Amino acid sequence: MSLFEICVIVLLAAFLAVLLRKHQPEQALSMGMLVGALVVGVVLWQVKDIFNLLDTWLKAAQLPQIYLQVLFKGVGVCLLTQLTADTCRDAGEHALAAKTEFAGKCFLLLLALPLFEQLLSMITALIRGEGVSS
């Protein structure tokens, strides 16, 4: 599915949601969530080749696997957080959207802790005059 097709589907869904919102707001919200999930699924299916390429590059560079794991998980956390927050805003729940974004930021920090630990270890080794290993 091309970007043009995705945009047409989203615009049609938005138009229908505006029409439905007057008389059946629950169905308008449901349709928005369904189309949003469809778009995310299609996009993730399309970008899987990018993730495979990144995996190949990281293996060729002989970097530790943790970098790739943190990258992929981080992208997933960001996408899921943004989709959830936007859906909350569509439903008029701005406070829940803000809390969702806060939770996503906290999970990104937790996800990056192993990288911070490695960085601290490297800095400590450099200060002590030891060799740095990755």
Side-chain angles (χ1 to χ4, degrees):
M1 185 176 287
S2 71
L3 178 60
F4 178 76
E5 292 168 327
I6 290 172
C7 290
V8 168
I9 290 170
V10 169
L11 288 174
L12 287 173
F15 177 73
L16 290 174
V18 168
L19 293 177
L20 279 175
R21 192 164 289 128
K22 294 177 185 175
H23 303 291
Q24 298 172 329
E26 300 85 15
Q27 290 186 354
L29 178 62
S30 297
M31 185 179 59
M33 290 174 66
L34 180 66
V35 171
L38 173 73
V39 168
V40 169
V42 168
V43 169
L44 287 178
W45 181 259
Q46 296 289 327
V47 298
K48 68 178 173 35
D49 294 335
I50 293 172
F51 290 126
N52 292 336
L53 183 62
L54 285 173
D55 185 39
T56 304
W57 287 349
L58 285 174
K59 287 179 181 172
Q62 297 178 346
L63 291 173
Q65 194 66 18
I66 191 161
Y67 296 140
L68 184 64
Q69 291 172 351
V70 170
L71 176 69
F72 287 160
K73 288 179 182 179
V75 168
V77 166
C78 290
L79 290 173
L80 184 60
T81 301
Q82 187 67 48
L83 179 64
T84 304
D86 288 344
T87 302
C88 288
R89 280 191 198 88
D90 289 345
E93 296 293 334
H94 297 280
L96 286 176
K99 303 305 183 280
T100 301
E101 290 170 341
F102 175 73
K105 291 170 186 174
C106 289
F107 273 95
L108 282 175
L109 284 174
L110 287 172
L111 190 61
L113 281 179
L115 297 179
F116 291 139
E117 186 178 15
Q118 275 191 337
L119 182 62
L120 184 61
S121 173
M122 289 167 54
I123 291 170
T124 304
L126 286 172
I127 290 172
R128 291 183 181 159
E130 302 169 1
V132 178
S133 63
S134 36

